[in-house]
Amino acid sequence: MAYTLGEAAKASGKSKGTISKAIKSGRLSAVKQDTGAFRIEAAELHRVYPKTVDENQNRTPQTVFQTPENTPSVRELQARLEAAQERLADRDAVITDLREDRDRWRQQASALLADQRPVPQLVTEPALQPHQPVVQPPKGFWKRLFG
């Protein structure tokens, strides 16, 4: 049976990087395939890294559930729940207040912007008389310097 790098990591409980470093350093032998993936024999892997036992396979129903000594009381859980609900209600109130403030500020800003916006007017250039020369604006410093 041969593992890929990921399968070997799961079987040994190590990371893929650890397995890869062991291969590169020569501690663990593996065959590199044409695709670039490593094939690691199970015996070779478990020679270097012992096989880990899956904890979920060995659990009995008694160890899954908490014992009565470790179980929090119903009153304690209800108190925690009520405290959490109060915190959520407080946060909801703060969010509502912030939204109202935001809406008021938005209305004020819109009113100020509406008052300050200039009314667009049509700007007409004066008609040039045939005998008036066209005056060009003076050139800037860089235009005068470099033409």
Side-chain angles (χ1 to χ4, degrees):
M1 177 178 165
Y3 292 121
T4 63
L5 193 61
E7 292 169 345
K10 285 180 184 176
S12 65
K14 303 293 181 186
S15 69
K16 290 195 306 187
T18 303
I19 305 287
S20 178
K21 286 178 186 176
I23 293 170
K24 289 179 184 175
S25 69
R27 285 184 46 215
L28 182 65
S29 63
V31 177
K32 191 168 189 178
Q33 295 179 331
D34 294 335
T35 61
F38 287 107
R39 297 301 290 171
I40 306 162
E41 289 298 322
E44 177 65 14
L45 174 69
H46 298 304
R47 177 186 65 83
V48 179
Y49 299 111
K51 190 172 188 176
T52 59
V53 178
D54 189 10
E55 294 177 12
N56 293 331
Q57 291 176 355
N58 294 334
R59 283 196 174 179
T60 61
Q62 296 169 355
T63 59
V64 172
F65 299 107
Q66 293 181 346
T67 60
E69 297 86 32
N70 296 336
T71 306
S73 69
V74 174
R75 289 182 185 167
E76 181 184 347
L77 292 174
Q78 285 177 340
R80 286 182 187 177
L81 178 63
E82 289 173 3
Q85 287 174 340
E86 287 177 15
R87 286 194 305 266
L88 285 175
D90 290 343
R91 289 182 183 159
D92 288 342
V94 169
I95 289 171
T96 303
D97 290 343
L98 290 173
R99 285 182 178 155
E100 289 172 359
D101 286 347
R102 178 202 60 198
D103 292 340
R104 274 189 252 123
W105 283 108
R106 187 177 287 164
Q107 288 173 352
Q108 281 183 344
S110 297
L112 287 173
L113 285 175
D115 292 343
Q116 292 180 356
R117 287 188 185 145
V119 177
Q121 297 177 354
L122 294 176
V123 178
T124 57
E125 294 185 21
L128 294 176
Q129 301 296 331
H131 61 280
Q132 288 182 337
V134 176
V135 178
Q136 299 216 351
K139 293 182 180 180
F141 174 75
W142 293 107
K143 289 278 187 185
R144 283 184 279 147
L145 189 62
F146 293 109

